[in-house]
Amino acid sequence: MSTAGKPIECKAMVARAAKQPLSLETITVDPPKAGEVRVKVIANALCHTDIYTLDGLDPEGLFPSILGHEAGCIVESVGEGVTSVKPGDHVIPCYTPQCCSAQCIFCQSPKTNLCPAIRASQGKGLMPDGTTRFKDADGKPIYHFMGCSTMSEYTVLAEISCAKIDESAPLDRACLFGCGVSTGLGAVWNTCKVEVNSSVAVFGLGAVGLAVIQGAKMAGASKIIAVDINPKKFEAAKKMGATDTVDSTKLDKPVQQHIAGELTQWGVDYSFDCTGNVQVMRAALECAHRGWGESCVIGVAASGHEISTRPFQLVTGRVWKGTAFGGFKSRRDVPLLVNRYMSGQLPIDHYVTHEFDGVQGTNDAIDALHSGDCLRAVVKY
């Protein structure tokens, strides 16, 4: 029997409060309104941003909410006016939407992917019309998260957040292109445009950091320095293409002085912070090459934190920049990334280190992510 136009009851993991385990609940997911799409979530990968919010560090974090934003889904029904996807299509939800409007100066600019069309409602945990599509067993509303909320068997997305992909792609792998892997690759290819024979330093060797290393290797970088405080991560970094590894806890000087002075004469051409730690962001900038070095902030810092350095660092030619979703225009570029994966040009299976079955496995996935040896934990619904 068709469920189009009707509410659906399903299981979801609800974040009731900061620093509390997610609660397995039966919720109601309302049908999509105009410009919206309801999808069945097939696989959800855990990202540190989900944990960042669950830990109460997100200034926009709201409770109760349904977290999750790195998923592979199948369209169940569409709302009025939706033309770019139809029931049965496979999609990747994208927290950075792409409205494609001729009036959107952001979508029309090749300089950015930061479409603001639904930014205000996303930050309030609501759909574009200012309401939610989720209700708990008592009929009380539950907030959305990053416009995605994929820790639920069903969710509702804005059409402009749906990247339609090749239906032959396995959703438990393609889901990785919804955030971390794309962000790391894009920081290299789009934001910094790393050239052949460049030198690169990568701070933080989680999935995003390893994706930066993979992207830098594919771009032809000749020296790739991997930095972390956990030496267990160095083996994976070397497999991805790192030429040097640095355990910053073992140094007798600031890591930026070790990189710009010992491992290199003047610093690296490009550096990337994948930690969210503002002191590491400073170190990444200060190991960038005198005269032309670029440092890219990828990691999200906790609420209220600020970055600092001596202005002299910038006066002497270094550039500090940041990236969101690696600069990829989501609906245009995610399908292309999936195609590269399917053709064998862009391997990503190595990021999946843990797998769990059923939405109720999400708390186990969170535990795995905290264990220190997990890159991506994928929960298959």
Side-chain angles (χ1 to χ4, degrees):
M1 189 172 86
S2 173
T3 54
K6 301 174 184 177
I8 290 178
E9 281 195 355
C10 70
K11 288 183 171 59
M13 301 302 290
V14 181
R16 286 285 171 184
K19 303 183 187 301
Q20 298 296 318
L22 302 176
S23 171
L24 176 62
E25 301 183 21
T26 298
I27 67 164
T28 300
V29 183
D30 287 337
K33 295 187 179 181
E36 297 176 359
V37 178
R38 187 164 62 185
V39 299
K40 178 176 176 57
V41 182
I42 303 301
N44 181 74
L46 226 69
C47 175
H48 280 282
T49 306
D50 301 316
I51 309 306
Y52 165 84
T53 299
L54 187 60
D55 283 346
L57 301 174
D58 184 352
E60 291 187 343
L62 297 166
F63 302 96
S65 63
I66 296 173
L67 303 176
H69 65 287
E70 197 170 293
C73 310
I74 299 176
V75 175
E76 176 269 338
S77 60
V78 300
E80 179 184 350
V82 172
T83 58
S84 63
V85 295
K86 64 183 184 305
D89 284 346
H90 290 202
V91 298
I92 302 296
C94 296
Y95 69 91
T96 300
Q98 184 185 3
C99 76
C100 301
S101 167
Q103 283 70 50
C104 179
I105 59 173
F106 294 86
C107 283
Q108 296 305 316
S109 171
K111 296 180 179 181
T112 186
N113 62 336
L114 295 177
C115 172
I118 58 174
R119 181 67 187 87
S121 58
Q122 271 184 301
K124 296 175 182 176
L126 303 170
M127 294 301 291
D129 71 345
T131 63
T132 78
R133 300 293 166 268
F134 302 129
K135 295 186 183 72
D136 66 15
D138 295 324
K140 296 179 180 178
I142 303 172
Y143 288 113
H144 294 252
F145 176 70
M146 295 178 70
C148 296
S149 291
T150 53
M151 291 181 184
S152 171
E153 292 174 333
Y154 286 86
T155 189
V156 178
L157 314 165
E159 178 185 14
I160 63 173
S161 299
C162 294
K164 181 181 174 182
I165 65 166
D166 180 353
E167 290 183 17
S168 67
L171 290 171
D172 61 351
R173 294 297 181 267
C175 63
L176 301 185
F177 289 117
C179 182
V181 171
S182 297
T183 299
L185 296 172
V188 174
W189 299 342
N190 303 325
T191 307
C192 291
K193 299 179 173 60
V194 171
E195 308 100 343
V196 172
N197 288 329
S198 299
S199 57
V200 171
V202 183
F203 292 77
L205 303 179
V208 175
L210 292 180
V212 171
I213 292 174
Q214 181 176 3
K217 177 71 172 178
M218 293 175 69
S222 57
K223 190 177 188 67
I224 302 174
I225 302 168
V227 185
D228 205 287
I229 59 175
N230 182 359
K232 292 180 181 177
K233 297 183 177 182
F234 292 156
E235 182 180 353
K238 290 177 181 177
K239 287 180 179 177
M240 297 306 299
T243 58
D244 301 80
T245 58
V246 177
D247 179 349
S248 56
T249 67
K250 304 299 185 191
L251 301 176
D252 57 3
K253 62 178 66 175
V255 64
Q256 54 267 49
Q257 293 178 18
H258 177 68
I259 293 173
E262 294 188 23
L263 294 183
T264 66
Q265 182 178 3
W266 296 104
V268 293
D269 299 316
Y270 301 95
S271 65
F272 299 85
D273 165 70
C274 308
T275 70
N277 182 306
V278 294
Q279 296 304 317
V280 176
M281 294 174 190
R282 178 173 187 162
L285 174 79
E286 293 180 359
C287 77
H289 203 292
R290 179 184 177 92
W292 63 73
E294 295 185 14
S295 187
C296 183
V297 174
I298 305 176
V300 179
S303 175
H305 287 211
E306 297 180 350
I307 53 176
S308 64
T309 191
R310 293 184 302 135
F312 184 75
Q313 294 287 335
L314 304 178
V315 171
T316 49
R318 297 167 190 83
V319 174
W320 221 343
K321 56 174 55 176
T323 191
F325 198 52
F328 285 118
K329 290 184 182 287
S330 55
R331 293 203 286 168
R332 180 194 71 188
D333 293 333
V334 169
L336 300 178
L337 290 171
V338 172
N339 290 347
R340 291 184 71 178
Y341 164 65
M342 293 299 289
S343 70
Q345 301 173 52
L346 182 55
I348 60 169
D349 290 3
H350 51 272
Y351 292 104
V352 180
T353 54
H354 295 70
E355 296 185 76
F356 301 90
D357 290 319
V359 68
Q360 66 275 6
T362 304
N363 278 328
D364 292 331
I366 292 173
D367 291 342
L369 201 63
H370 282 309
S371 70
D373 62 353
C374 175
L375 293 177
R376 274 297 184 266
V378 174
V379 185
K380 293 180 280 189
Y381 303 173

